[in-house]
Amino acid sequence: HKYSVNACVLDCKMALKPQETDHSKRKSKVVASLGPASWDEEMIPKMIEAGTDIFRLNCSHRRGGDFERVYPLIRKYSRMLGRRVEVLGDLQGPKFRVGELAGDPIQLVEGEILEFGICKDDNDLIRPGRITMKPTTEQLALIKACQVGIDLLLEDGIMKVNVVEKISDTELKVKISRGGKLKARKGVNVPDCEIDCAALTEKDIEDAEFLLQLDPPVEYICVSFAQKAQDLQELIDIMDRLKVPAEKRPKICPKIEKPQALTNIQGIIEKSQALMVARGDLGVELELERVPFAQKLLIAEAKKAGLFVINATQMVESMIEAPVPTRAEVTDLQNAIFDGADAVMLSGEAASGKFPLESVRAEADAILEAETVRDFLKPQVLDGAICDEANKPRELDDSKRKTQVVASLGPSSWSEEMIPKMIEAGTDIFRLNCSHRRGGDFERVYPLIRKAAKELGKKVTCLGDLQGPKFRVGELAADPIVLTNGDILEFGISKDDNDNIRPGRITMKPTTEQNALIRACKPGTPLLLEDGIMEVTVVEKCSETELKVQVLRGGKLKARKGVNVPDVEIDCAALTEKDIDDAEFLLKLDPPIEYICVSFAQKGQDLQELIDIMDRLQIPPEKRPGICPKIEKPQAFTNIEGIIEKSQALMVARGDLGVELGLNRVPFAQKLLIQRAKQAGLFVITATQMVESMIEAPVPTRAEVSDLCNAVWDGTDAVMLSGEAASGKFPLQAVMAEASATREAETVKHRLRQACPYVSVNASGSMALHPPRMVNCGMALKRQETDHSKRKTKVVASLGPASWSEEMIPKMIEAGVDIFRLNCSHRRGGDFERVYPLIRQAAKDLGRKVECLGDLQGPKFRVGELAGDPIELKNGDILEFGISVDDNDNIRPGRITMKPTVEQKALIAASKVGTDLLLEDGIMKVNVVEKLSDSELKVKVIRGGKLKARKGVNVPDVEIDCAALTAKDIEDAEFLLQLDPPIEHICVSFVQKAQDLQELIDIM
C-alpha cells in the first residue's frame, strides 16, 4: 500500500476515470476452486484464460482419482498458454457434525432440554430428546472440551444450544437457545472452545502426503481450523518425515476460521508463508457482523509480516446462479484489495456454479480496477491494532445504533400488521417508491406509518422517491429478438402504434424524455440495454428520431427493457409529468414527509425544479422536506458541487450508477461521494443490492455484511433496502440484518481510519489522475534541501553561558533559531533582564520572527547534603529515608535525607509501602518497605550505586499533593508576564492535572 498524504487532493470527477482493461497490469490474484463445473479438460484452459492465477484443490472432495487426473491438466495448459498458474491444496481439517437420524428431521424448540452426546452404538441416532455425534477422535475431543455455559452452533449457526450440565466426557445436557429443524450430518461449531485434538486428521495426513509428492510441487497447502502455531508444526513434521527439500516445500497457509486463532495469531504467522481469511466458518464462530473488522485486522497483521494473503468465502456467491455479481459483492472484492489482500477466492462459484468462467472474470475485473485507485485511499487499520480486538463481544443494544435503516415499502411489508413489525425490527426511514404509486396504496400506508411510530414511541421518518425519466424499449411485434454481435440495426422512435420491435429494428415510445434521448445521441454513443447485458453503439444519425446502431454485445431482447446512455447529458426536464404529480401529492401530506428524492439528478437545476414546485405550492420553510438527489449518472460527478448546494441529503444509488458508470467503478465513486457529501454536512444514504440475497434467503452473505460495514466506515448515515423489504420473502430479517451489521460496525469505527481522504471542492477539471510514486531506495540519493526559507519545523535553543552574549545571539538567529528558551532554573544575577532586550533587538535588526519561551522550574525533589564522602548503596540494604530533622541531619551511611521544603515534605507524605523512589535519573532505586511517619520511611535498595549530594529524586507512581508552582515559580512567572514585548510561551513543569495550569492562569 503506497498511500501518501501528500499524493494529491481527491475530486469526485476522479470516479469518471476510464476503467482499466489491461489485465497484464493486474497484480492481485484470483484463486478458483476446482470441481464438477470447472475441472474437465475443456474447462481448465478456459479458466486460465478467464484470469485464474491459482487453482484450489479442495481435499474435502478428493476421491475417485479426480486430483490425479486434474493436476497434470493444470500444469499442461499453464505451460501451453504461457501463463504462470499455481496450485493450492486445501486440507479438510477436523469436521464436527451431528450423526444420522433415527427417523424424520427433529424440531428443536426454544427452551427445551435435550441430551447431546457421542453415539453409544450404531443404533444411537438422532431422535426427539437426543442429538448424537459419531465417535471420531475429534468429536470425542469436542464433547470433552465443553463446559457448562458453552454454546454449540448447529448448521452454520441457524440453531444454537447451550450446555447446562456436563454428565461425562461423552455426554452433555443442553438447552435450546435458537430452534429449528435439525437434519442429519449438519455441522457443529463451538466458538468458545479450544479443542484439544490434532489439527490434522488421518485423512489430512494422507492428503498432505499425496500433495507433497506431486511433481512439480504444489505451491501452497492450507491447514484448516488452525488455532495455534503447533497446528502448523504438524504439517512441517510431515515434510520433515518425507524429507521434502526446502526448495520443494509448499508455502504453509493457515485458514483463519476460529476465534482462538485471532488470539494466537503471532505464533501462527511465525510458521506461515501465507494466510487465508476463511470467512465461512469464521462467520459462524465469530458471528457474521464481526468478520469485516477481523478481516481488516488479519490482512494488516499478515501483510506486516510479509505473508501472501487470500480473502475467501462468499465473495461473489450470487454468481452460483447469476452471470453478474451484485453491487455488494463488487464492493466487498474491492475493499479486500484496498485492505491489502493479495488474492480473492472463488469457492462454489467456480467449483459447482452455473457461471464459473464469468465468476473468474468478474473477480479479475473488479480487483484490477481496485488496484488503479487503491493508492488514493488511506490504510484503515491503526498502528498498534491487534487481531484479538476482533474477539470483542458483539453489540446487541440497538438503542446505541446511529446509522439508520431505510426500508422500501411494497407488498411484502406495507400491510397494517407488518408496518409496526418493520419498525420494531429496526426501520428508521420508510421509502415510498413513486414508481409504484397507484390504487391508493400510499394514501392508505402513510397514516399507518405515523400511527405505528407514535404508538411504539419511535422516531420514524419517510422518504418519497420520485421515479424520474425512464428510458425503455417499446413493445415486441412478436417473439423476443436475438441481437447478434456485429449486426447493424435501426433504432428509433415509434412512428405509430404498429411500429414495434422486430428483427432489424428496435423502437421506443415517443415520450418527451425518449425523444430527447435519441436527439442527444451521436455516432460513437453507446446505448446499454437491460442493465448493460446488451450494448449497441451509434454508427449513423439518420435524423433527430432515427439512428443506425451496431450490436457490440448481443443477447435476447424482450419488451420494455431499460436503456441507459452513460456518455450523454440528456436535455430534458428532471421531473416528468408523473414526477410533478407525485411531488405535489408528497408535499401535501400531513404531517410533512421528511425527504424527497430526485432520480437521475445530473446538475443543480434538476433540483431547482422541485424547489420551484414547493415555491408554487407556498410550502413554508419548516414543512419543506430535505431534497435528496439520487446519484446515478456520470454527469452528476462533474456537476456535484451545484447538486450539493441545493441538497440536504444525498443517495448513492448504485443500481443505475452501476450500469452507467460500470459496476467496477462504483466502489471508489461511493467513497468519493460519501466523503464529499459529509464534508458539506449532508445526510448520506447508500442504496441498492445491500443484502440482495435476502430476497430469497433469511441471512445475508459475507460479502453483503462486509459491504454494509464498509459503508458505515466510509461515513454513510443510512443504508437502504429495496426489493429485500418491498417484495422479498424475509423483509423483517433484512431490516434486522442491516441494523445488526451497521450497529457492530459503529462499535469499532474509532479503531479504523476513514479510507477516503479529503475530497476537494471545485478542483481543476484537468487534474492528473496519478497514484503516488512507489518508494525505492534510490530516493535516498535525492539532493539535500538547503533552502531554509522552506522550513516549517522550528528550532528551540536554550540560552546559557555558551550562547547568551551580545555577540552570540544574532549568530544563533542566523544559524536557524526560531525560539529562545529562558530556563528559570538559572534565573539569577540579572542575566534575563540583560538578554531579553538583546533577543528582540537582534531579531528586529535581522528581519526575523523570533519567539521566546520562559520555562518555570517547578517543584524539585533532591536528596540533601552529605555529612562526609558519597555513600555506597548496596542491593538489599535497609536504610532510613526522611526529611532532615535539622541542619546537621545530612546523608550518611544508613540514612538518606532531603531538605524540609513544602514539596519534599509532600513527596514523603505521599509515599506508601511498595512505592519506588528513583535516585539520580533512575541510576539507583529504592523501595519503601515501611512508613514510619509522614516525614520518615524505611527503604530497601533495589538498584545500588554511589550516592552524591543534591541528586534528583523521582517518584513515578505517586501524585504528589502540592502546588504545581513553587514560591520561586510564582516570582519567575510574574517577571515573565511583565516583559515588554510579551513573551510568547510559558512552560509549567511536572504537570499532573489541569489544576496545575490553572495556577498560572490565576497569576495572569
Side-chain angles (χ1 to χ4, degrees):
H1 206 295
K2 303 181 288 292
Y3 174 78
S4 162
V5 290
N6 298 315
C8 67
V9 176
L10 299 194
D11 176 76
C12 282
K13 292 190 287 293
M14 286 182 169
L16 304 180
K17 66 170 272 304
Q19 183 167 327
E20 182 57 71
T21 56
D22 182 355
H23 276 272
S24 68
K25 296 178 180 177
R26 175 166 61 84
K27 296 181 177 69
S28 305
K29 297 188 176 184
V30 174
V31 183
S33 301
L34 284 173
S38 52
W39 66 10
D40 64 33
E41 187 159 7
E42 181 188 1
M43 280 296 291
I44 284 173
K46 290 181 179 178
M47 292 286 282
I48 294 171
E49 289 181 313
T52 300
D53 302 284
I54 303 174
F55 281 111
R56 170 179 173 245
L57 299 176
N58 183 359
C59 293
S60 299
H61 307 300
R62 180 180 165 238
R63 53 181 173 265
D66 284 319
F67 283 19
E68 290 80 351
R69 174 186 60 80
V70 166
Y71 192 76
L73 294 177
I74 295 170
R75 299 308 188 182
K76 171 186 171 183
Y77 287 107
S78 166
R79 190 170 57 252
M80 284 175 62
L81 293 167
R83 298 280 186 86
R84 184 180 177 200
V85 177
E86 298 176 317
V87 177
L88 176 152
D90 190 351
L91 304 178
Q92 176 179 281
K95 287 290 180 188
F96 304 102
R97 299 186 183 282
V98 298
E100 300 294 331
L101 290 162
D104 294 331
I106 65 164
Q107 191 70 39
L108 303 186
V109 179
E110 280 179 33
E112 284 187 354
I113 306 290
L114 309 175
E115 297 174 1
F116 194 117
I118 299 296
C119 297
K120 297 180 172 68
D121 54 46
D122 291 347
N123 297 319
D124 188 12
L125 304 175
I126 298 169
R127 56 189 183 273
R130 180 163 176 79
I131 301 171
T132 57
M133 303 176 78
K134 291 187 177 176
T136 66
T137 305
E138 295 78 31
Q139 298 194 152
L140 284 161
L142 182 148
I143 300 294
K144 185 176 180 180
C146 288
Q147 305 290 336
V148 172
I150 291 287
D151 288 326
L152 293 93
L153 308 176
L154 311 178
E155 196 176 344
D156 291 342
I158 290 173
M159 289 158 279
K160 180 165 78 168
V161 301
N162 180 271
V163 179
V164 291
E165 185 183 349
K166 184 160 186 179
I167 298 166
S168 71
D169 279 350
T170 58
E171 284 293 323
L172 310 169
K173 280 271 180 70
V174 299
K175 183 177 181 178
I176 299 167
S177 306
R178 188 164 57 237
K181 189 169 281 189
L182 182 63
K183 301 170 188 170
R185 299 181 299 282
K186 291 301 174 185
V188 179
N189 291 82
V190 192
D192 302 329
C193 268
E194 185 168 321
I195 299 162
D196 185 20
C197 66
L200 303 186
T201 64
E202 288 181 17
K203 173 178 165 49
D204 293 330
I205 294 167
E206 182 189 332
D207 290 337
E209 290 173 349
F210 166 78
L211 293 170
L212 290 166
Q213 291 171 54
L214 287 170
D215 186 32
V218 72
E219 283 84 3
Y220 302 90
I221 294 184
C222 282
V223 177
S224 295
F225 302 104
Q227 299 180 81
K228 54 190 183 299
Q230 178 56 34
D231 297 345
L232 308 179
Q233 185 62 44
E234 294 179 28
L235 178 58
I236 296 169
D237 292 343
I238 295 172
M239 294 191 210
D240 292 343
R241 173 165 56 78
L242 295 178
K243 298 181 179 175
V244 179
E247 69 278 6
K248 290 191 174 184
R249 292 196 172 198
K251 296 181 178 72
I252 296 176
C253 179
K255 291 169 68 178
I256 306 302
E257 41 200 336
K258 293 281 289 179
Q260 291 76 16
L262 299 170
T263 304
N264 303 324
I265 196 66
Q266 291 305 327
I268 290 171
I269 282 175
E270 281 173 20
K271 292 189 182 287
S272 307
Q273 294 79 48
L275 182 140
M276 184 184 290
V277 184
R279 307 188 305 180
D281 276 279
L282 188 61
V284 178
E285 300 247 345
L286 198 62
E287 294 175 296
L288 271 183
E289 297 85 349
R290 295 196 286 166
V291 169
F293 183 51
Q295 173 180 314
K296 287 183 187 291
L297 294 174
L298 284 166
I299 292 173
E301 193 66 35
K303 291 309 296 175
K304 192 163 64 177
L307 270 58
F308 180 84
V309 181
I310 304 169
N311 212 59
T313 321
Q314 292 189 331
M315 301 298 290
V316 289
E317 180 86 350
S318 70
M319 295 190 74
I320 291 174
E321 296 291 335
V324 291
T326 67
R327 273 71 177 160
E329 289 166 341
V330 172
T331 306
D332 175 45
L333 281 166
Q334 295 201 354
N335 274 303
I337 300 304
F338 298 152
D339 290 340
D342 298 290
V344 290
M345 192 172 98
L346 296 163
S347 301
E349 307 98 329
S352 56
K354 294 178 181 176
F355 301 96
L357 297 175
E358 291 84 347
S359 297
V360 172
R361 289 189 199 109
E363 287 207 340
D365 288 345
I367 62 180
L368 173 63
E369 184 61 22
E371 288 176 354
T372 68
V373 296
R374 175 175 57 196
D375 294 333
F376 294 114
L377 302 173
K378 291 183 279 189
Q380 289 190 272
V381 175
L382 300 175
D383 296 338
I386 59 170
C387 290
D388 202 27
E389 289 182 43
N391 279 325
K392 66 170 269 310
R394 183 159 70 92
E395 181 56 70
L396 300 174
D397 183 356
D398 203 52
S399 68
K400 295 180 180 177
R401 175 169 55 88
K402 296 181 176 67
T403 307
Q404 300 193 22
V405 174
V406 184
S408 302
L409 284 172
S412 290
S413 53
W414 64 13
S415 68
E416 188 166 1
E417 179 190 6
M418 279 296 291
I419 285 172
K421 290 181 180 179
M422 292 286 283
I423 295 171
E424 289 181 313
T427 300
D428 303 283
I429 304 174
F430 281 110
R431 171 178 173 245
L432 301 174
N433 183 358
C434 294
S435 299
H436 308 300
R437 180 181 165 236
R438 53 182 172 265
D441 283 318
F442 283 19
E443 290 81 351
R444 175 186 62 80
V445 165
Y446 192 76
L448 293 178
I449 296 169
R450 299 307 188 182
K451 177 187 173 190
K454 185 177 180 182
E455 288 175 353
L456 293 167
K458 296 281 185 80
K459 184 186 176 187
V460 176
T461 53
C462 289
L463 176 152
D465 191 350
L466 303 177
Q467 176 180 281
K470 288 289 180 188
F471 304 101
R472 299 186 183 281
V473 298
E475 299 295 332
L476 290 163
D479 294 330
I481 65 165
V482 173
L483 304 186
T484 305
N485 289 2
D487 281 359
I488 304 292
L489 312 172
E490 297 174 0
F491 194 116
I493 299 296
S494 300
K495 297 180 173 65
D496 53 45
D497 290 346
N498 296 318
D499 188 10
N500 294 325
I501 300 168
R502 55 191 181 273
R505 180 163 176 77
I506 302 171
T507 57
M508 302 176 78
K509 291 188 177 177
T511 65
T512 303
E513 296 79 30
Q514 298 195 152
N515 276 309
L517 181 149
I518 300 294
R519 192 166 55 244
C521 289
K522 299 174 181 176
T525 299
L527 292 94
L528 307 176
L529 311 178
E530 197 176 340
D531 291 342
I533 290 173
M534 290 158 279
E535 181 181 355
V536 300
T537 186
V538 179
V539 292
E540 185 184 346
K541 186 161 185 177
C542 305
S543 71
E544 296 289 88
T545 59
E546 286 293 324
L547 310 169
K548 282 272 178 73
V549 298
Q550 184 175 30
V551 179
L552 297 185
R553 188 167 55 243
K556 189 172 280 189
L557 183 62
K558 301 171 189 170
R560 299 181 299 282
K561 292 300 174 185
V563 179
N564 290 82
V565 192
D567 299 332
V568 169
E569 187 168 323
I570 299 162
D571 185 20
C572 65
L575 303 186
T576 65
E577 289 182 16
K578 172 177 166 50
D579 291 331
I580 294 167
D581 179 48
D582 290 336
E584 290 175 349
F585 165 77
L586 294 170
L587 290 165
K588 291 170 179 174
L589 288 169
D590 185 34
I593 198 163
E594 285 82 4
Y595 301 95
I596 294 183
C597 282
V598 176
S599 295
F600 303 104
Q602 298 180 80
K603 53 190 183 298
Q605 178 56 36
D606 295 345
L607 308 179
Q608 185 62 44
E609 294 179 29
L610 179 57
I611 296 169
D612 291 345
I613 296 172
M614 295 191 211
D615 291 344
R616 173 166 56 78
L617 295 177
Q618 298 181 341
I619 307 293
E622 69 277 8
K623 291 192 173 183
R624 292 196 173 198
I627 296 176
C628 179
K630 291 169 68 178
I631 306 302
E632 40 199 337
K633 292 282 291 179
Q635 291 73 19
F637 291 85
T638 304
N639 304 321
I640 196 66
E641 295 307 321
I643 290 170
I644 284 174
E645 192 178 323
K646 292 184 183 292
S647 306
Q648 292 76 48
L650 181 142
M651 185 185 288
V652 184
R654 307 187 304 180
D656 276 279
L657 186 62
V659 178
E660 300 247 344
L661 198 60
L663 263 186
N664 295 314
R665 292 200 287 170
V666 168
F668 183 54
Q670 174 178 316
K671 289 181 189 292
L672 293 172
L673 285 169
I674 292 173
Q675 177 68 359
R676 180 66 199 96
K678 292 308 296 176
Q679 286 167 204
L682 271 56
F683 180 85
V684 181
I685 303 168
T686 303
T688 320
Q689 291 190 330
M690 301 298 289
V691 289
E692 180 86 349
S693 71
M694 294 191 73
I695 291 174
E696 295 290 335
V699 291
T701 67
R702 274 70 177 159
E704 289 166 341
V705 173
S706 172
D707 177 39
L708 285 164
C709 289
N710 276 287
V712 172
W713 296 328
D714 288 339
T716 197
D717 297 291
V719 290
M720 193 172 99
L721 295 163
S722 301
E724 305 99 328
S727 56
K729 293 178 181 176
F730 301 97
L732 296 175
Q733 290 88 337
V735 171
M736 288 187 277
E738 287 209 338
S740 183
T742 56
R743 182 174 70 237
E744 184 61 25
E746 288 172 359
T747 68
V748 295
K749 191 174 180 181
H750 68 289
R751 296 296 297 146
L752 296 170
R753 295 184 192 91
Q754 193 163 328
C756 190
Y758 185 85
V759 175
S760 71
V761 181
N762 295 326
S764 165
S766 60
M767 177 184 291
L769 185 67
H770 297 303
R773 292 174 61 192
M774 187 181 293
V775 177
N776 64 74
C777 288
M779 288 182 171
L781 304 179
K782 66 171 276 300
R783 292 174 185 271
Q784 182 169 332
E785 182 56 72
T786 56
D787 182 357
H788 277 274
S789 68
K790 296 179 179 177
R791 173 169 60 85
K792 297 181 176 69
T793 309
K794 297 188 175 184
V795 174
V796 184
S798 300
L799 284 172
S803 54
W804 64 11
S805 68
E806 189 168 0
E807 178 189 6
M808 280 297 292
I809 285 173
K811 290 182 179 178
M812 292 284 283
I813 294 172
E814 288 180 316
V817 172
D818 302 283
I819 303 174
F820 281 110
R821 172 178 173 248
L822 301 174
N823 182 359
C824 293
S825 299
H826 308 301
R827 179 180 165 240
R828 54 180 172 267
D831 283 320
F832 282 19
E833 290 81 351
R834 174 185 63 79
V835 166
Y836 192 76
L838 294 179
I839 295 169
R840 298 307 189 182
Q841 186 62 49
K844 184 177 178 184
D845 292 347
L846 293 167
R848 297 281 185 84
K849 183 185 178 187
V850 177
E851 298 177 324
C852 289
L853 176 152
D855 190 351
L856 304 178
Q857 175 180 282
K860 287 291 181 188
F861 304 101
R862 300 186 182 281
V863 298
E865 300 294 332
L866 290 163
D869 293 331
I871 66 165
E872 191 71 41
L873 303 186
K874 293 181 182 176
N875 290 3
D877 281 357
I878 304 293
L879 313 173
E880 296 173 1
F881 194 116
I883 299 297
S884 300
V885 178
D886 54 41
D887 290 347
N888 297 319
D889 187 12
N890 294 326
I891 298 169
R892 56 191 182 273
R895 180 163 175 77
I896 302 170
T897 57
M898 302 176 79
K899 290 190 176 175
T901 65
V902 174
E903 296 79 29
Q904 299 196 150
K905 286 179 173 179
L907 182 150
I908 300 294
S911 295
K912 299 176 180 175
V913 172
T915 298
D916 288 327
L917 294 94
L918 308 178
L919 310 178
E920 198 176 341
D921 292 339
I923 291 173
M924 289 158 279
K925 180 164 82 166
V926 299
N927 180 270
V928 178
V929 292
E930 187 180 350
K931 184 160 186 179
L932 304 173
S933 70
D934 277 350
S935 59
E936 284 293 323
L937 310 170
K938 280 272 178 73
V939 299
K940 182 177 180 179
V941 179
I942 306 295
R943 188 165 57 240
K946 190 169 279 190
L947 182 63
K948 301 172 187 172
R950 299 180 299 283
K951 291 301 173 185
V953 179
N954 290 83
V955 192
D957 301 329
V958 170
E959 187 172 320
I960 299 163
D961 186 19
C962 66
L965 304 186
T966 65
K968 172 177 167 51
D969 292 331
I970 293 168
E971 182 188 334
D972 290 337
E974 289 174 350
F975 165 77
L976 294 170
L977 290 165
Q978 291 172 49
L979 288 171
D980 187 29
I983 198 163
E984 287 83 0
H985 309 272
I986 295 183
C987 282
V988 178
S989 296
F990 303 105
V991 169
Q992 300 180 82
K993 54 191 184 297
Q995 178 56 34
D996 296 344
L997 308 179
Q998 186 62 43
E999 295 179 27
L1000 178 58
I1001 296 168
D1002 292 344
I1003 296 172
M1004 295 190 211

